[in-house]
Amino acid sequence: MRIDIITVLPELIKSPFEASILKRAIEAGLVGVHFHNLRDYTTDNYKTVDDTQFGGGAGMVMMIEPIDKCISKLKKEREYDEVIYMTPDGQTLNQGLANQLSMKGNMIILCGHYKGVDQRVRDHFITKEISIGDYVLSGGELGAAVLCDAVIRLIPGVLGDETSALTDSFQDGLLAPPIYTRPREYDGWKVPDILLSGHFPKIEKWREEQAHANTKIRRPDLLKD
Ligand code: ADE
């Protein structure tokens, strides 16, 4: 997979890719992540990327021309499966969408700023609009980092133990069961006996029951269908 991120603030989004699992995935060649500063695609001395709204109103709008230049240059170099725009009015990211995107080849992610982008960008270049939740961020960069993390960890080979993504919360529509590690007892607080029993079918059944109970209490909406 290759991800091209278009941003006016590359310094805001680079660091999550320089640590831990994402860094390892990049170093292992399982994903390539490339950053493109939108100001490099401007033509004026001030490297302007935004302008006032037609019709009046507060807030600047990102102009179509630098975005067109950047996306068109990338599209000349390779084919893309998706051109994603990060925006609070997009489709809300969930595990199902992350799963779908983890199977794609090349993706462009455009990070919005100010009031957003000129509508013609959305109408003519964007194939998917994604929000990371019902709140407004100062820009799409942190949303893009969240999206990339959720997607990249699902690419086969990225997580050491292939099964560990399969037992994540949400992966089977349920929250995860409780987990424990050593010591067996801490300050009088004990690990449930069943987990120490060595009886794996019973442990599996207990985990399923706990996952259901957890989901029923915390997120009953997930059980509705
Ligand atoms: N840009 C601003 N707010 C956002 C959000 N909630 N999700 C994705 N991109 C955004």
Side-chain angles (χ1 to χ4, degrees):
M1 176 186 290
R2 175 184 165 116
I3 303 176
D4 287 280
I5 299 176
I6 304 174
T7 169
V8 286
L9 284 172
E11 66 275 19
L12 184 59
I13 193 182
K14 280 186 176 169
S15 70
F17 300 92
E18 290 164 1
S20 186
I21 288 174
L22 299 190
K23 181 184 179 190
R24 265 194 284 131
I26 292 166
E27 284 175 353
L30 296 166
V31 61
V33 182
H34 304 265
F35 303 93
H36 307 275
N37 191 335
L38 200 54
R39 296 195 194 279
D40 295 341
Y41 297 84
T42 55
T43 43
D44 64 318
N45 288 342
Y46 300 102
K47 298 190 183 295
T48 311
V49 293
D50 60 331
D51 205 341
T52 53
Q53 287 190 53
F54 278 128
M60 303 294 273
V61 179
M62 288 171 77
M63 295 187 297
I64 191 168
E65 190 180 352
I67 296 172
D68 179 15
K69 284 204 169 118
C70 185
I71 291 178
S72 299
K73 175 183 172 270
L74 290 171
K75 280 185 171 172
K76 266 189 214 125
E77 293 165 358
R78 67 194 65 75
E79 303 235 321
Y80 286 91
D81 297 319
E82 297 286 358
V83 182
I84 296 168
Y85 174 50
M86 300 307 301
T87 176
D89 57 2
Q91 172 185 2
T92 310
L93 177 63
N94 60 22
Q95 196 63 26
L97 181 54
N99 280 331
Q100 281 172 30
L101 294 176
S102 72
M103 289 178 262
K104 302 280 181 186
N106 301 326
M107 295 192 283
I108 291 173
I109 303 178
L110 172 65
C111 302
H113 258 269
Y114 318 107
K115 276 278 167 212
V117 296
D118 187 305
Q119 182 61 35
R120 290 167 292 187
V121 171
R122 301 172 74 155
D123 293 345
H124 301 290
F125 298 122
I126 300 300
T127 61
K128 235 184 213 342
E129 301 186 326
I130 298 179
S131 162
I132 62 158
D134 290 343
Y135 40 82
V136 178
L137 304 167
S138 334
E141 282 75 10
L142 297 179
V146 166
L147 173 64
C148 288
D149 186 300
V151 169
I152 291 171
R153 63 192 295 286
L154 295 173
I155 298 171
V158 168
L159 295 183
D161 178 356
E162 280 279 14
T163 63
S164 64
L166 297 176
T167 55
D168 284 344
S169 275
F170 304 111
Q171 204 61 21
D172 55 3
L174 296 174
L175 302 183
I179 51 171
Y180 298 85
T181 185
R182 273 184 281 268
R184 286 167 175 238
E185 185 172 339
Y186 183 81
D187 225 1
W189 299 319
K190 289 184 178 155
V191 171
D193 287 336
I194 181 78
L195 296 177
L196 311 172
S197 70
H199 194 298
F200 293 106
K202 276 193 186 157
I203 291 173
E204 211 34 59
K205 187 164 169 278
W206 179 86
R207 285 182 170 150
E208 272 168 33
E209 286 165 1
Q210 294 287 318
H212 269 277
N214 245 350
T215 311
K216 202 170 168 189
I217 293 165
R218 296 168 186 228
R219 292 292 306 276
D221 57 301
L222 294 176
L223 294 173
K224 278 200 181 111
D225 43 56

